Amino acid sequence: RGWSLVKFQQTLPTETTNRSKNRSPPYVAIISFRTLHISLLNFQTLFIHRKMRASTIISAAFLLVSSVNAGNDPRECEVCMKVMQEVRDAMPKSDHKSKPAIEAALGSHCAKDTLSARERKICYYVDPIKRDIAQPFSLGMPVDRLCKRINKDNPEICSVKFPVKTEKLEKKDLSKLRVKQLKSILLDRGVECKGCMEKDEFVKRVQDTEHLAGLDEF
């Protein structure tokens, strides 16, 4: 009996130890849950960051497109382009790359009495910079790019536009224009529409000032 008791006492701790080894400690489950929680938080943070980054890129692209469209005025530099094209067309092709010949051609064109007031205004702006114009002109640069290039030195060049004739347009045609376009027509004529709130009021003002469409103070 004594031997059996001793044997039982010796084997009991060993069995208890083996059971403890097979059973997962409680702190292991806690650590695993924390690790999973941290991983989920990291994934959520990464998802939000990428979403915000994508939104920023889309917004920047939209602003870029909007700015490009806003500056895409079909009448921009139109008077300058007409003057430069007429100068180029009047020159012999053999002189197109000659800078002195280009300067002389600009001077001869601007001395004509048949130029409109807006064309004379362009000549007034380009006369002091004929040598600067001759360089890109001699390289065959298109007139639209040429005018935009010299406009960097004098922003007034591309702001000169031909007057908008509206005498042949009916009210329904003018109503199709935007308020911004109507304001531009009035500004070109040197008049305002004080107190105008509705589009019809701007249309009426444009019709009433048609006689000022071809007048220039220059």
Side-chain angles (χ1 to χ4, degrees), residues 72-121:
N72 189 20
D73 184 359
R75 299 180 60 215
E76 184 181 17
C77 306
E78 61 179 359
V79 181
C80 174
M81 291 166 57
K82 181 177 183 295
V83 170
M84 295 301 164
Q85 190 60 53
E86 288 180 349
V87 171
R88 178 168 288 169
D89 292 342
M91 294 179 61
K93 290 186 177 181
S94 57
D95 291 342
H96 281 188
K97 295 184 179 181
S98 172
K99 297 177 185 178
I102 293 170
E103 293 183 43
L106 284 169
S108 299
H109 181 82
C110 289
K112 294 180 179 179
D113 297 332
T114 57
L115 298 180
S116 66
R118 306 296 171 97
E119 292 171 298
R120 291 199 304 272
K121 185 178 288 189

Side-chain angles (χ1 to χ4, degrees), residues 87-189:
V87 171
R88 178 168 288 169
D89 292 342
M91 294 179 61
K93 290 186 177 181
S94 57
D95 291 342
H96 281 188
K97 295 184 179 181
S98 172
K99 297 177 185 178
I102 293 170
E103 293 183 43
L106 284 169
S108 299
H109 181 82
C110 289
K112 294 180 179 179
D113 297 332
T114 57
L115 298 180
S116 66
R118 306 296 171 97
E119 292 171 298
R120 291 199 304 272
K121 185 178 288 189
I122 290 296
C123 288
Y124 174 80
Y125 290 143
V126 303
D127 184 69
I129 57 173
K130 286 188 294 186
R131 181 167 298 180
D132 296 330
I133 296 173
Q135 170 61 27
F137 196 108
S138 65
L139 299 176
M141 181 177 290
V143 293
D144 56 338
R145 290 178 54 193
L146 176 62
C147 289
K148 289 178 180 178
R149 177 168 177 171
I150 62 178
N151 185 67
K152 295 179 180 179
D153 297 327
N154 188 348
E156 297 292 331
I157 291 176
C158 281
S159 66
V160 180
K161 303 174 184 178
F162 289 111
V164 179
K165 301 285 186 178
T166 58
E167 57 183 355
K168 296 182 180 179
L169 296 178
E170 298 181 2
K171 183 177 180 180
K172 63 179 181 180
D173 297 321
L174 290 174
S175 299
K176 295 178 182 179
L177 300 178
R178 297 180 179 180
V179 173
K180 183 178 181 180
Q181 293 173 306
L182 296 171
K183 288 182 178 180
S184 177
I185 294 174
L186 293 174
L187 180 63
D188 183 69
R189 296 175 181 178

Side-chain angles (χ1 to χ4, degrees), residues 1-63:
R1 183 184 297 177
W3 180 84
S4 301
L5 180 61
V6 173
K7 183 178 181 181
F8 174 77
Q9 289 176 346
Q10 290 177 350
T11 57
L12 181 60
T14 302
E15 293 174 357
T16 305
T17 303
N18 291 335
R19 291 177 182 177
S20 300
K21 288 182 178 179
N22 295 330
R23 185 183 299 171
S24 298
Y27 65 84
V28 174
I30 295 174
I31 293 175
S32 299
F33 176 77
R34 288 181 178 176
T35 303
L36 178 61
H37 181 64
I38 292 173
S39 299
L40 289 174
L41 288 177
N42 290 337
F43 176 79
Q44 184 179 11
T45 303
L46 180 61
F47 177 78
I48 294 174
H49 175 72
R50 288 185 176 180
K51 186 176 181 181
M52 292 176 63
R53 184 179 178 184
S55 300
T56 303
I57 294 174
I58 293 173
S59 299
F62 176 78
L63 290 175

